[in-house]
Amino acid sequence: MKHIVKAACLAACSSALVAGVSVSTASADEWPTGDVRLVVPYAPGGTTDVLSRRVADLLQDELDANVVVENRPGAGSTVATGRLARGGRDVDHTILMASPGHTIGAAIYPDLAYDPVDDFVFLQNLIDIPNVMVVPADSPYDNVIEFVEAAREQNMTFSHSGVGSSIHMSGELFKTLTETNLTAVPFAGSGAALPALLGGDVDVSFENMPTVLSHIRSGDLKALAVTSAERSPHLPDVPTLTEVGEYSLDQFVTTAWFGLIAHESFPQEAQDAMHEALAGVMQREEFLSFAEQLGAEPGQVSGESFQQFIAQEVERWQEVAEQAGISQ
Amino acid sequence: MDMFSEVLHLFLSLDNILAIALGVVIGVVVGSIPGLTATMAVALALPFTFTMEPVAAILLLVGIYKGGMYGGSITAILIRTPGSPASACTLLDGYPLAQQGYAKKALKTALYSSVIADFISNIALIFFAAYLAKIALNFGAPEFFWLICFSLTIIISLASGSMIKGLLAALMGILLSLVGLDEVYGSQRLTFGNYNLMDSISFIPLLIGLFAIPEIIEFYRKKVVPHIKAKASGVGMTLAEFKRCLKPIVRGSLFGVLIGAIPGTGATAAAFISYSDARRRSPNRDNFGKGEVEGVAAAEAGNNGVAGATMIPLLSLGIPGDVITAIILGAFMVHGLTPGPIMFQENLTLIYALFVGIMCSSLVLLVVGNGAIKYFSLIADIPKSILFPIVLMFCVYGAYAVNNDTFDVWLMLGFGVLGYIFNRAAIPAAPFLIGFILGPMFEDNLRRSLLIGHGDMSIFVRGPITWFFIALTLGSILLALYRYFSTRRQSSRPGKAQETP
């Protein structure tokens, strides 16, 4: 009997550990009136998740309320986003960390039950991570023009971290704009894709900057260009794709953006509170150094201009997905 | 000498020791709860490490990783519910052992083989990281393809009893693994328009359903309470058993190290490959699946051998091999450190301090694991009529917790029914799981190779690693055929002898 009691106590303790304890510190009269739920539309561990937890931590101070992170992965972020769009309980205390999956997902997943632009309010673009066009160290190509000329003559391959990732879509966009013979080679995540690039199994990739920055610095990979509008302070010698000035590459500006969105019925009062809190978060030293570590730049747009940016992105990726013949 | 004292200075602080101990404890507890994986625990712990010293921060996460890898085996053995995917293989022999009243023996075997494998893996990390990293870089899609082929041929050895049933189970596993988005074109396969199936069938609900639910159905169908006495206080692992298990443990650890060093394979595959290999070589082959300590040892050695080795591509190349090491990479970066060749030049003392800590974590795992066994094995004493409703609750919770979605609960119950049918029809679960895990790897690497080689088949024989695995695959098939025919000859002989008189 003693053993049973012991075991029961143990079970109770472990479930208490699982459930966690949440105590609200918010005052009753102004937003937030309870815990704020930050939905991460991906599994624990990715960039979106890590960023969300860092932001939640800082947002907690700014809002003086609990910010609870909840992972809801599935179908390239569209499951969680669809759930948010449907609204329901707590919708005025729920925010979601959106990323390129939000706009690309709208282009490649059929029958989405929501509109990626009109069904949401767009709070703040937090960070932008540029992609880098990288080739193996022993690649014979030293600049974009040499590469494009060669890839028009012969078949070449680019690696990516999964269908519909910003890395994949950047490759497809490059292929369309430059009219080159590039074949996409899918891998299960950047971790699995990198060895193929380092070992020379594939010819090029459009990886997120933080993934390849150390390899560029150590000389294991050669950076031909960055995909952002301006040169990156991390790689000041590497030109942007728009600087190439040929093959309509001036249209090639794309970053992996991360930002917070909420349901369209998110109250104005809450939007104002969030704007203020997020502006505070983005000035914090912890946030800036974290962004620096990720090789990211603090986000530029918020509110309506953020929404306009999303609308343009959705349109652009829809075109690329159609031309590449991806899904739908 | 300066370096030595610097390393010790960096490592020997209360914070570091506490971080390892805390990490392993959290890992074991979380790992043992179905549906809560070490991955989740590491992700949840990450924000707390931002304010810690780098060495303590990384050691905390590594501790959780290692604890979680072992913790999964506890519930797998005791209640037939794998706490994490990698422990599904441990269950095949661990649970039958517990059923026979040897829960403690199974738990101890799992612990000792985990600790030894962990230790071997750490040694590989510390002394052979550079060589293994080189192999990992040369391990492209075609090499991977042949490794999977070799692993698939091992299924032949797992199909105990009826070969037909084994193949049937394996094919069903492969069929179910096809569900989801096509990796190359992104088109939907067998999803029937259901968005829940787009990310393919979740592995944890499948495991829980396949193993835990049939036991519960069986119990309530028979409504007899099996009287198995003195399980918690039963005997541990004997010295003779330990000696017998040593070879499978070492081989399993080496499988784990190789698979862990190559980004993107994972501990579950390592456990099954090690288990199949042990079964093929063991003189007690026929006892596998019925409660064989060697089976438990091989499975746990396989999955724990991965833990230290996944740090090899991370530290030496800056490449995370799985989600957990990706999170650990994040922790490095938050502290302004970038794993890779440069870190070995710039922060060598820190790396050595980490190595010392990682070695210590094996020891801590032994201590914490022993403590955990003492308390967790009490579960074996709870009467089944009280235990099973609690297990059922955990099954539902575990399936739900993976994606926070009720769809997975239904999926789990569906697989429960399938598992029950498997039990009644004596269809083995191991080939089914191997098909489910290795099937997609086979397909992806085949297609990847063809894409890389622009459709040219010669890529499949491009270098020594491919030749090596082709030889192993052919050898494995020939060995299986030889065994098959020689056992047939042996079994037909006494039959004839009876006819003659």
Side-chain angles (χ1 to χ4, degrees):
Chain A
M1 193 58 207
K2 210 179 113 201
H3 282 172
I4 299 173
V5 174
K6 258 186 174 173
C9 287
L10 198 80
C13 291
S14 34
S15 42
L17 211 123
V18 175
V21 186
S22 80
V23 184
S24 175
T25 53
S27 56
D29 47 343
E30 58 190 65
W31 193 91
T33 50
D35 291 353
V36 176
R37 212 154 51 105
L38 200 173
V39 179
V40 178
Y42 292 96
T47 310
T48 319
D49 183 61
V50 174
L51 170 71
S52 301
R53 289 178 194 282
R54 193 74 187 114
V55 168
D57 209 25
L58 299 173
L59 200 55
Q60 205 144 267
D61 294 349
E62 297 288 333
L63 284 177
D64 196 20
N66 276 316
V67 179
V68 185
V69 176
E70 186 185 304
N71 295 87
R72 184 64 191 86
S77 87
T78 59
V79 169
T81 315
R83 208 186 240 193
L84 176 66
R86 281 201 296 278
R89 191 176 60 88
D90 278 354
V91 84
D92 54 350
H93 279 85
T94 305
I95 51 179
L96 182 140
M97 184 65 79
S99 63
H102 184 77
T103 48
I104 297 173
I108 68 168
Y109 289 100
D111 316 321
L112 278 193
Y114 61 88
D115 186 302
V117 183
D118 295 338
D119 289 353
F120 305 95
V121 292
F122 293 81
L123 300 171
Q124 175 71 49
N125 166 215
L126 287 162
I127 56 167
D128 285 324
I129 300 177
N131 287 0
V132 192
M133 181 179 175
V134 275
V135 294
D138 56 2
S139 168
Y141 316 110
D142 290 320
N143 59 54
V144 177
I145 293 179
E146 279 177 30
F147 182 87
V148 171
E149 291 306 322
R152 283 179 167 179
E153 297 294 314
Q154 51 183 308
N155 290 324
M156 292 223 208
T157 49
F158 72 94
S159 59
H160 66 78
S161 58
V163 170
S165 59
S166 78
I167 300 163
H168 178 203
M169 297 306 269
S170 299
E172 294 289 355
L173 179 61
F174 184 85
K175 177 186 170 179
T176 318
L177 292 177
T178 57
E179 295 167 0
T180 40
N181 303 315
L182 283 175
T183 309
V185 183
F187 287 86
S190 284
L194 258 184
L197 187 67
L198 288 167
D201 268 352
V202 292
D203 300 301
V204 67
S205 185
F206 297 83
E207 270 291 349
N208 293 145
M209 178 160 328
T211 319
V212 287
L213 198 54
S214 67
H215 300 102
I216 295 169
R217 286 184 177 150
S218 67
D220 293 321
L221 290 174
K222 249 192 303 192
L224 300 189
V226 291
T227 66
S228 44
E230 307 282 328
R231 288 191 181 204
S232 161
H234 296 280
L235 296 169
D237 300 333
V238 179
T240 65
L241 275 174
T242 49
E243 281 177 47
V244 173
E246 301 235 12
Y247 326 110
S248 343
L249 279 176
D250 53 319
Q251 298 166 35
F252 200 123
V253 177
T254 171
T255 54
W257 55 271
F258 295 85
L260 288 169
I261 64 172
H263 187 259
E264 58 168 337
S265 71
F266 201 59
Q268 188 59 45
E269 178 204 3
Q271 288 183 41
D272 296 342
M274 280 299 293
H275 277 303
E276 198 184 317
L278 287 170
V281 167
M282 290 178 71
Q283 277 167 9
R284 293 271 290 266
E285 187 48 43
E286 295 102 311
F287 177 82
L288 294 172
S289 64
F290 181 73
E292 165 89 19
Q293 287 304 329
L294 281 176
E297 325 248 320
Q300 304 290 335
V301 287
S302 65
E304 263 175 42
S305 43
F306 188 14
Q307 187 158 17
Q308 276 165 15
F309 166 74
I310 298 292
Q312 288 164 9
E313 287 280 296
V314 169
E315 205 176 318
R316 190 229 305 246
W317 295 129
Q318 229 138 25
E319 268 173 42
V320 175
E322 263 166 43
Q323 281 176 353
I326 303 165
S327 187
Q328 285 278 13
Chain B
M1 200 58 208
D2 252 10
M3 177 88 168
F4 185 70
S5 59
E6 232 177 288
V7 168
L8 280 186
H9 176 73
L10 203 54
F11 172 71
L12 279 182
S13 74
L14 191 63
D15 284 2
N16 291 344
I17 313 272
L18 274 179
I20 299 174
L22 186 68
V24 173
V25 171
I26 294 174
V28 170
V29 172
V30 170
S32 65
I33 298 172
L36 289 188
T37 57
T39 314
M40 286 183 200
V42 173
L44 289 172
L46 181 64
F48 297 101
T49 65
F50 291 154
T51 51
M52 294 165 75
E53 287 296 309
V55 176
I58 306 295
L59 288 179
L60 176 75
L61 301 180
V62 170
I64 297 177
Y65 186 12
K66 300 201 161 184
M69 205 63 114
Y70 162 71
S73 71
I74 298 175
T75 35
I77 290 169
L78 289 174
I79 55 174
R80 211 173 189 236
T81 311
S84 59
S87 56
C89 192
T90 312
L91 170 158
L92 298 175
D93 280 285
Y95 185 71
L97 271 173
Q99 282 295 33
Q100 294 155 22
Y102 298 117
K104 198 170 180 186
K105 188 194 288 292
L107 288 169
K108 290 264 177 187
T109 308
L111 177 64
Y112 296 148
S113 45
S114 293
V115 171
I116 296 171
D118 195 44
F119 188 75
I120 292 177
S121 194
N122 292 339
I123 298 277
L125 164 67
I126 294 169
F127 294 104
F128 303 106
Y131 303 102
L132 283 164
K134 207 171 265 175
I135 293 181
L137 270 191
N138 286 316
F139 223 92
E143 288 78 14
F144 229 125
F145 171 78
W146 285 113
L147 170 69
I148 303 297
C149 278
F150 167 59
S151 309
L152 282 172
T153 59
I154 302 182
I155 293 191
I156 302 170
S157 74
L158 272 185
S160 56
S162 160
M163 176 71 92
I164 300 287
K165 282 181 181 172
L167 281 176
L168 183 79
L171 288 175
M172 272 181 71
I174 293 173
L175 183 69
L176 284 174
S177 76
L178 293 177
V179 175
L181 290 187
D182 180 285
E183 210 208 9
V184 177
Y185 298 108
S187 44
Q188 297 184 49
R189 296 199 299 205
L190 305 173
T191 59
F192 307 102
N194 188 331
Y195 67 86
N196 287 304
L197 289 172
M198 277 194 205
D199 277 343
S200 72
I201 292 172
S202 310
F203 195 39
I204 291 175
L206 181 148
L207 285 177
I208 296 176
L210 203 62
F211 290 115
I213 299 294
E215 280 299 293
I216 298 172
I217 299 178
E218 194 70 36
F219 173 72
Y220 285 104
R221 197 180 67 91
K222 286 181 183 159
K223 280 193 180 154
V224 282
V225 185
H227 285 284
I228 303 167
K229 287 277 175 191
K231 281 191 295 194
S233 49
V235 285
M237 195 187 195
T238 64
L239 194 64
E241 281 165 342
F242 181 74
K243 278 183 184 158
R244 189 149 61 85
C245 288
L246 205 55
K247 267 190 188 170
I249 290 175
V250 172
R251 268 200 306 270
S253 311
L254 296 179
F255 272 118
V257 168
L258 178 68
I259 287 167
I262 305 164
T265 328
T268 316
F272 274 99
I273 292 173
S274 162
Y275 178 83
S276 318
D277 178 69
R279 184 182 184 280
R280 204 165 54 156
R281 289 169 190 267
S282 171
N284 305 322
R285 203 170 300 133
D286 296 331
N287 197 31
F288 271 67
K290 296 171 192 156
E292 173 58 51
V293 278
E294 279 182 53
V296 176
E300 277 300 300
N303 70 37
N304 282 275
V306 168
T310 46
M311 301 289 286
I312 293 173
L314 178 69
L315 289 178
S316 54
L317 303 171
I319 297 172
D322 59 11
V323 185
I324 294 188
T325 42
I327 305 173
I328 296 178
L329 175 65
F332 270 110
M333 289 169 74
V334 165
H335 288 100
L337 299 160
T338 314
I342 298 175
M343 197 162 92
F344 274 85
Q345 289 159 19
E346 291 175 357
N347 304 82
L348 199 59
T349 42
L350 182 125
I351 289 191
Y352 283 149
L354 273 182
F355 283 168
V356 177
I358 288 172
M359 288 304 272
C360 284
S361 69
S362 298
L363 212 64
V364 174
L365 181 61
L366 185 66
V367 177
V368 173
N370 261 319
I373 288 177
K374 205 170 147 199
Y375 290 101
F376 272 104
S377 59
L378 298 176
I379 293 173
D381 282 347
I382 301 174
K384 298 241 157 154
S385 49
I386 296 175
L387 181 66
F388 275 162
I390 300 173
V391 171
L392 187 60
M393 189 195 81
F394 264 103
C395 290
V396 172
Y397 169 74
Y400 180 80
V402 181
N403 288 326
N404 291 331
D405 197 330
T406 44
F407 177 80
D408 286 328
V409 177
W410 294 114
L411 202 65
M412 183 270 293
L413 293 173
F415 278 109
V417 174
L418 184 74
Y420 184 68
I421 296 170
F422 271 23
N423 272 7
R424 301 289 289 175
I427 298 172
F432 175 81
L433 288 179
I434 294 197
F436 188 81
I437 298 161
L438 297 185
M441 290 188 187
F442 177 86
E443 186 205 338
D444 293 345
N445 285 296
L446 175 66
R447 294 175 78 182
R448 227 170 262 158
S449 306
L450 290 171
L451 286 170
I452 290 171
H454 302 290
D456 185 356
M457 293 295 224
S458 66
I459 193 168
F460 289 107
V461 289
R462 68 173 179 182
I465 303 181
T466 55
W467 303 336
F468 174 71
F469 280 105
I470 291 171
L472 277 186
T473 309
L474 291 177
S476 175
I477 293 171
L478 287 176
L479 186 73
L481 285 175
Y482 171 75
R483 284 227 172 111
Y484 178 69
F485 284 113
S486 62
T487 46
R488 251 179 52 154
R489 215 175 302 142
Q490 269 170 17
S491 57
S492 61
R493 242 180 240 148
K496 273 179 191 163
Q498 275 170 1
E499 274 170 24
T500 32

